[in-house]
Amino acid sequence: MRERRMMPLSTRLIASLLLVSLETVQSTVYTHNASGTLAAYPSLPALFGAPFLEGRLYEGALQYLVENPFLCNEIDFNTTSFVDVPPLSPLPDGYRNNPNHEDPHSSSNPNDDEAIPPDEPVIEPIVLLAARGHCPFHTKAMIAESLGARVEYLLIHNHNLDGEDVLVPMYSEFGSSRLKLMAVTHRTGTALKRYIANASQHTKAQG
């Protein structure tokens, strides 16, 4: 098995979703740091965008653009704080969207020409965090998409006018998105921004 390069744990955010019933979808966002400490936050998948699959674990590097907190303004690529994550960053204990933690680079058939080459890089996706308000959810998704294919997830935190712990359903009247989107509470948004702020400069430079 090839050696796997790991992103610093303090950059990582896991979003896991459990489909409880046909009527109710519950999900949880987790962060974990270098000491192995996990923090869990309630979340709600959006009513548009790419679907989360039942029982799957999704993971990515969390970023928040301080100069564009609502993701309502077009990205200025000359000044943006967005960091394009290095391509080699496999997941711990298995790969993204692989609930059985099977190594996609292995093959039960040694003659299987379609097995993924062992030197192929594993690209870690990016999770963007944005604040609710000032523009439609669909606009935020389109701005996030404009940052490139590595942006796969968008978390939108509520404002505090509804209370610290209110989850607001996200919908779109203007079309869908290739992203997987989740709503989180204002309290969660505050905690995630603090989580990013507490990361080391080395960690921030890698997304």
Side-chain angles (χ1 to χ4, degrees):
M1 183 178 295
R2 70 187 180 93
E3 181 180 357
R4 300 174 179 175
R5 289 175 52 192
M6 298 296 298
M7 292 285 289
L9 287 179
S10 58
T11 68
R12 308 176 78 86
L13 178 140
I14 303 174
S16 65
L17 179 140
L18 175 63
L19 181 62
V20 178
S21 70
L22 292 177
E23 295 82 18
T24 304
V25 175
Q26 295 181 350
S27 58
T28 305
V29 171
Y30 298 93
T31 59
H32 58 113
N33 55 32
S35 65
T37 302
L38 277 174
Y41 307 96
S43 59
L44 182 66
L47 300 175
F48 72 105
F52 288 92
L53 301 180
E54 178 182 359
R56 296 295 179 93
L57 186 68
Y58 300 88
E59 179 167 343
L62 178 64
Q63 295 191 38
Y64 172 71
L65 307 186
V66 293
E67 75 282 359
N68 197 355
F70 295 94
L71 277 187
C72 292
N73 302 321
E74 291 188 11
I75 301 299
D76 182 344
F77 288 94
N78 294 317
T79 60
T80 182
S81 60
F82 176 76
V83 177
D84 201 3
V85 176
L88 286 178
S89 51
L91 307 181
D93 302 321
Y95 288 101
R96 176 166 46 92
N97 301 350
N98 189 346
N100 297 321
H101 301 305
E102 298 171 353
D103 190 339
H105 296 91
S106 66
S107 172
S108 58
N109 181 358
N111 297 318
D112 186 357
D113 293 334
E114 296 183 358
I116 300 175
D119 58 348
E120 181 173 320
V122 178
I123 299 176
E124 180 175 56
I126 293 170
V127 185
L128 281 183
L129 174 67
R132 177 188 173 197
H134 293 269
C135 65
F137 294 127
H138 184 263
T139 299
K140 300 177 190 294
M142 294 300 99
I143 297 296
E145 285 189 26
S146 73
L147 287 164
R150 288 184 186 167
V151 177
E152 295 187 16
Y153 311 104
L154 176 60
L155 303 181
I156 298 180
H157 72 78
N158 196 14
H159 45 56
N160 61 1
L161 298 179
D162 298 323
E164 287 288 313
D165 300 303
V166 174
L167 285 169
V168 175
M170 291 165 49
Y171 60 91
S172 171
E173 300 176 346
F174 306 102
S176 192
S177 169
R178 66 168 175 81
L179 303 180
K180 294 177 173 67
L181 302 100
M182 280 187 176
V184 295
T185 66
H186 182 265
R187 188 185 304 276
T188 295
T190 300
L192 293 179
K193 283 182 276 189
R194 184 166 57 246
Y195 171 78
I196 295 172
N198 290 338
S200 68
Q201 290 302 314
H202 172 73
T203 294
K204 292 176 182 176
Q206 300 188 64

